[in-house]
Amino acid sequence: PLYERAVGNPPGAWDPAVVNGSAWRAAEIPAVNGHGTAAGVSGVEHITSRFYLRVPGVMRRGKETATFDVRGVHPDHRYLENTTVTEGRFLNAVDLSEHRKSMVIGTKVRDTLFHKDPAVGQQVELNGIVFKVVGIFTDEGGEGELEKVYVPITTAQRTYAGGNNIAQFMFTVGDSTLPQSEAMAGPLPRRVSQ
């Protein structure tokens, strides 16, 4: 059933004019296709997908409540975002495969919810569901990046009615030249749609 849903999603995925258009870029791509597709392409170094919660990420710890940008991601996401774990760890394959309610929070999230208290190993509610903080991160991308929360993409999809969809699909190509990178990217739209 998932494979049948994935074929042709998004519509026109075989047509270069569609693939390069804004409608295709905004389409939700089934994760059954997205992850693992680029991993099979020689030269791909790191790969991740993103899933965004359809509602604001309201987080609560004790009397503290705040809203943050929550993203469901894969473990390699930290390499694409220049995320540096300062305490604990980042998400891992076990978090994904077991749909664990683990989260990695930016330093501004930690400061808002925990003040000076230790955060790693503590529980936080995210839209009414209890998650465990497994890591704290910084990011060179600016202040806004420090207000992000990362959870396993599989957990986010299952817990927050995401089905099997992703919003973005990203990967790095290491030291490849531009022509090599273009050659790697060439078959991906077709592989994602199959």
Side-chain angles (χ1 to χ4, degrees):
L2 289 178
Y3 177 77
E4 291 172 10
R5 276 187 49 218
V7 173
N9 185 354
W14 295 77
D15 181 350
V18 173
V19 171
N20 292 319
S22 60
W24 192 83
R25 293 178 202 274
E28 292 183 333
I29 302 168
V32 69
N33 288 343
H35 191 66
T37 301
V41 175
S42 177
V44 169
E45 182 181 36
H46 299 289
I47 178 173
T48 187
S49 301
R50 279 186 186 167
F51 170 78
Y52 298 105
L53 273 60
R54 298 182 195 283
V55 295
V58 178
M59 296 180 63
R60 178 171 303 149
R61 177 185 175 260
K63 295 179 181 179
E64 300 294 339
T65 302
T67 302
F68 297 102
D69 181 18
V70 180
R71 297 175 176 179
V73 299
H74 291 95
D76 275 0
H77 194 269
R78 72 187 211 168
Y79 302 110
L80 281 91
E81 284 290 331
N82 293 320
T83 301
T84 303
V85 176
T86 58
E87 296 177 50
R89 64 174 176 83
F90 200 73
L91 304 172
N92 61 36
V94 176
D95 292 324
L96 267 68
S97 66
E98 294 183 1
H99 301 90
R100 288 185 178 174
K101 291 180 178 69
S102 304
M103 66 170 47
V104 183
I105 61 176
T107 54
K108 286 191 147 202
V109 177
R110 178 205 53 207
D111 295 346
T112 300
L113 296 177
F114 290 90
H115 304 286
K116 296 187 185 294
D117 295 338
V120 175
Q122 300 301 310
Q123 295 182 336
V124 175
E125 277 187 31
L126 172 57
N127 293 346
I129 307 293
V130 177
F131 280 72
K132 181 179 180 179
V133 176
V134 297
I136 311 292
F137 71 88
T138 62
D139 190 305
E140 298 173 5
E143 292 291 311
E145 294 300 316
L146 304 177
E147 296 178 347
K148 305 282 189 246
V149 175
Y150 296 125
V151 299
I153 191 168
T154 53
T155 305
Q157 291 168 320
R158 180 177 281 183
T159 306
Y160 298 106
N164 200 37
N165 293 316
I166 61 174
Q168 291 177 316
F169 178 66
M170 302 169 289
F171 59 94
T172 61
V173 295
D175 294 330
S176 299
T177 64
L178 180 58
Q180 290 169 329
S181 300
E182 289 172 340
M184 283 181 240
L188 287 176
R190 181 175 175 182
R191 290 181 71 174
V192 168
S193 70
Q194 293 177 336

